[in-house]
């Protein structure tokens, strides 16, 4: 009797990759509640587009009392819920988040897409000027990613290394 051999590396759409990156960064994925907090209008709009792109439904919540956020509907048959469940990310608190193993080996273009969503939420890029003792100045760049999850930071480091960037 023959059985089908499943591809051990799931193929992800660009929207799925962005959704996971956004949810790892500024998403709440506990108790079946999915929400994305973000003060940037542009990033919130991108997130809403990504949710719709994977077949999900959501609503933007604006309040004077809380930071703006997007609530993703909790229908268990919705793609966002299924995707996060299948990747083992449901009910993960911030310190428990990680990049799913099958996303650590994606093609370079998709790895960049995931890193982009992560950096939009928890990353920063800045420049600073250093003045040396001899009076010469030099411009430096600082690229940083910060998370409460040590594992997520290690996973980001792995993704960067796959792209040839030491960190």
């Amino acid at each position: 009797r023959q059985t089908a051999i499943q591809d051990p590396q799931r193929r992800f759409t660009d929207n799925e990759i962005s959704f996971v990156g956004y949810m790892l960064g500024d998403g709440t994925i506990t108790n079946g509640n999915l929400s994305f907090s973000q003060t940037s209008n542009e990033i919130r709009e991108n997130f809403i587009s990504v949710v719709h792109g994977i077949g999900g439904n959501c609503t933007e919540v604006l309040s004077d009392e809380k930071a703006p956020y997007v609530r993703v509907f909790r229908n268990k048959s919705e793609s966002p819920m299924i995707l996060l469940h299948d990747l083992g990310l449901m009910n993960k608190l911030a310190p428990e988040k990680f990049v799913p193993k099958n996303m650590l080996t994606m093609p370079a273009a998709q790895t960049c897409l995931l890193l982009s969503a992560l950096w939009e939420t928890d990353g920063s890029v800045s420049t600073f000027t250093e003045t040396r003792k001899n009076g010469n100045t030099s411009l430096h760049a600082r690229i940083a990613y910060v998370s409460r999850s040590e594992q997520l930071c290690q996973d980001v480091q792995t993704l960067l290394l796959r792209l040839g960037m030491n960190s």
Side-chain angles (χ1 to χ4, degrees):
R1 178 175 153 188
Q2 288 186 332
T3 58
I5 298 174
Q6 294 183 359
D7 184 356
Q9 184 158 359
R10 185 187 186 290
R11 307 274 190 254
F12 296 98
T13 68
D14 289 352
N15 282 327
E16 288 173 327
I17 293 165
S18 294
F19 176 74
V20 170
Y22 283 136
M23 292 303 292
L24 288 173
D26 285 342
T28 300
I29 48 182
T30 57
N31 300 320
N33 293 315
L34 302 183
S35 63
F36 176 74
S37 298
Q38 179 56 242
T39 56
S40 165
N41 289 333
E42 182 181 354
I43 295 172
R44 273 194 327 276
E45 288 172 11
N46 288 345
F47 178 77
I48 290 168
S49 175
V50 162
V51 169
H52 291 151
I54 63 172
N57 291 302
C58 59
T59 186
E60 188 172 19
V61 180
L62 304 173
S63 166
D64 292 335
E65 300 164 11
K66 295 173 87 174
Y69 69 97
V70 177
R71 180 181 302 130
V72 181
F73 297 133
R74 294 190 299 176
N75 183 343
K76 289 188 175 19
S77 66
E78 292 279 335
S79 296
M81 294 285 284
I82 293 168
L83 177 62
L84 294 176
H85 179 269
D86 289 351
L87 294 174
L89 294 172
M90 285 303 296
N91 298 318
K92 297 296 181 195
L93 300 173
E96 302 169 320
K97 290 181 179 180
F98 60 92
V99 174
K101 287 196 186 310
N102 51 353
M103 288 190 151
L104 291 171
T105 58
M106 295 183 300
Q110 290 189 317
T111 298
C112 290
L113 195 59
L114 178 60
L115 287 169
S116 175
L118 288 165
W119 241 267
E120 283 185 275
T121 55
D122 289 336
S124 65
V125 178
S126 60
T127 59
F128 64 96
T129 304
E130 177 184 38
T131 304
R132 297 200 172 106
K133 291 179 183 178
N134 66 6
N136 291 340
T137 60
S138 59
L139 184 64
H140 297 274
R142 178 178 294 132
I143 302 170
Y145 182 78
V146 179
S147 172
R148 291 182 54 204
S149 168
E150 183 177 344
Q151 183 62 57
L152 182 55
C153 288
Q154 289 172 356
D155 292 342
V156 167
Q157 191 172 26
T158 297
L159 292 171
L160 290 170
L161 191 55
R162 285 192 66 246
L163 297 174
M165 294 181 238
N166 293 320
S167 61

